[in-house]
């Protein structure tokens, strides 16, 4: 059971990044994939989640209209397109898989290692 997050980097405010979460076949039993954000010195917070069917999607209010989550079942991955980035979006982004879609981190059983996003001029 493995998740691998990638795509982080340095971007200017207002810019865009696309994060990708590669999911091993073992995690197919997990129906939902979520993205979480953790800024330095702060608790991890929910960003977005999607069921494997793609029928149900949830977003945190702070990213609605700016971020889009989508899955590519042929490549076994879930991506997070981040637009109009703000300095407060800086932090480590984690992807996780669980049996049900949720905005609560402890409901997700498997976690990737995280990828760092820095929004700064």
């Amino acid at each position: 059971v493995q998740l691998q997050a990638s795509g982080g980097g340095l971007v200017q405010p207002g810019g865009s990044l696309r994060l990708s979460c590669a999911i091993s076949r073992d995690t197919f039993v997990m129906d939902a994939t979520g993205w979480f954000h953790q800024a330095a010195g702060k608790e991890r917070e929910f960003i977005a989640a999607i069921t494997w069917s793609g029928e149900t999607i949830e977003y945190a209010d702070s990213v609605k209209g700016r971020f889009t989550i989508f899955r590519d079942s042929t490549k076994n991955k879930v991506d997070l397109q981040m637009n109009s980035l703000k300095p407060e979006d800086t932090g480590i982004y984690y992807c996780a898989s669980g049996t049900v879609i949720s905005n609560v981190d402890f409901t997700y059983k498997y976690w990737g290692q995280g990828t760092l996003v820095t929004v700064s001029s």
Side-chain angles (χ1 to χ4, degrees):
V1 176
Q2 293 184 348
L3 293 90
Q4 181 77 30
S6 62
L10 174 64
V11 63
Q12 292 186 344
S16 298
L17 277 178
R18 179 166 169 165
L19 306 183
S20 184
C21 179
I23 305 170
S24 70
R25 294 184 64 87
D26 292 343
T27 59
F28 275 11
V29 296
M30 299 291 127
D31 187 55
T33 302
W35 283 95
F36 290 79
H37 165 246
Q38 187 166 26
K42 295 187 177 180
E43 293 186 353
R44 190 163 54 192
E45 62 178 1
F46 171 76
I47 295 297
I50 187 170
T51 54
W52 195 248
S53 68
E55 292 181 356
T56 303
I57 295 174
E58 295 184 2
Y59 292 100
D61 289 342
S62 61
V63 305
K64 284 180 180 177
R66 299 191 299 126
F67 291 9
T68 303
I69 187 171
F70 53 98
R71 93 249 184 294
D72 183 341
S73 58
T74 63
K75 297 181 180 179
N76 302 337
K77 65 175 186 173
V78 173
D79 288 0
L80 183 70
Q81 177 65 42
M82 306 188 297
N83 299 327
S84 302
L85 283 162
K86 304 175 181 180
E88 53 263 41
D89 295 320
T90 294
I92 299 175
Y93 284 75
Y94 298 92
C95 61
S97 286
T99 55
V100 295
I101 192 168
S102 168
N103 61 4
V104 180
D105 59 357
F106 63 74
T107 65
Y108 290 84
K109 184 175 182 179
Y110 301 105
W111 290 80
Q113 86 291 355
T115 186
L116 177 63
V117 172
T118 303
V119 184
S120 175
S121 55

